[in-house]
Amino acid sequence: MTKKQGRPRATPKRVTVTLAQHHAGELQRLADEAGVTLSALCAHVLERYAIQDRELMTNDVLAQRLEAIQERYMREFASRFGDVLLRQAHEVVALRRQMLTEAETEYGEEAARQLKEASWQGAVRSLRPYTQKVRGEEDESQPASSEVRS
C-alpha cells in the first residue's frame, strides 16, 4: 500500500502464516512471475483484499440504508395516498347528499328517490370492471356485492 501524503509511515508487523502446500506453491509462482518476494506478494494481496472488503461492506451498509429509506418513503406515500382517497370519498358522499336534497326540492321526494336509485345502479355497473380488477376477480358470473343500496 502506498504511503498517503501527511500520514506517518506505518511500521510493518511481521506475521507468520501457514498455508496448504499447493496454495504456498501457487503464491510462490505468482511472486516469481511478478519479480517480488513471497512476503511482498502476500502483503499486497492482503492489503488489496482488506480494501476490497471495506468497499463491499460499505456498499452493503449503503444498500441497507437505501432500502430502509425507500421503505419509509413508500409507507409515507401510501399513507398520503390513502388520506387523499378518503377525502375524495367524503367529498363524493357530501356531493351526493347535496344533489339528493336539490332533487327532492326540484322533483319531489319519490322522484328524487328513483333518480338516486337509478344513478346508484348506473354507477355500480360502470365501476364493476374496475372493482373486479382491484379485487382480482375475473369471473363476472358471480353476483357483484357492490349492488348494495345506499
Side-chain angles (χ1 to χ4, degrees):
M1 208 171 190
T2 60
K3 178 182 175 298
K4 291 193 177 177
Q5 206 170 20
R7 283 191 176 171
R9 184 161 184 84
T11 0
K13 177 174 171 79
R14 184 171 299 273
V15 178
T16 303
V17 178
T18 305
L19 298 172
Q21 187 63 37
H22 65 281
H23 290 304
E26 182 63 22
L27 286 171
Q28 185 62 58
R29 186 185 67 72
L30 290 172
D32 291 342
E33 284 179 7
V36 296
T37 65
L38 179 60
S39 179
L41 177 77
C42 288
H44 179 72
V45 167
L46 290 171
E47 287 172 357
R48 295 287 295 174
Y49 176 78
I51 290 170
Q52 194 174 32
D53 191 46
R54 266 196 306 263
E55 288 173 359
L56 287 173
M57 286 174 28
T58 301
N59 289 342
D60 286 346
V61 168
L62 289 175
Q64 289 171 356
R65 291 187 70 200
L66 182 59
E67 189 174 321
I69 290 169
Q70 285 176 321
E71 287 174 7
R72 189 181 82 230
Y73 280 124
M74 288 304 292
R75 280 192 308 271
E76 289 173 3
F77 173 77
S79 177
R80 284 192 308 268
F81 188 65
D83 290 344
V84 167
L85 289 177
L86 188 58
R87 178 187 167 101
Q88 189 69 32
H90 284 291
E91 288 176 355
V92 167
V93 168
L95 181 61
R96 286 188 74 225
R97 286 180 181 154
Q98 185 180 12
M99 290 179 69
L100 180 60
T101 302
E102 289 294 324
E104 285 175 352
T105 303
E106 184 77 23
Y107 303 111
E109 203 170 304
E110 181 58 29
R113 189 192 63 71
Q114 289 174 352
L115 281 171
K116 175 186 163 193
E117 183 65 27
S119 68
W120 178 255
Q121 291 303 323
V124 167
R125 278 192 303 279
S126 68
L127 293 173
R128 183 172 290 132
Y130 306 107
T131 303
Q132 289 171 339
K133 283 182 184 178
V134 167
R135 292 182 182 164
E137 299 173 4
E138 296 299 325
D139 185 21
E140 291 187 18
S141 64
Q142 293 179 322
S145 61
S146 58
E147 291 191 34
V148 176
R149 306 284 190 251
S150 66

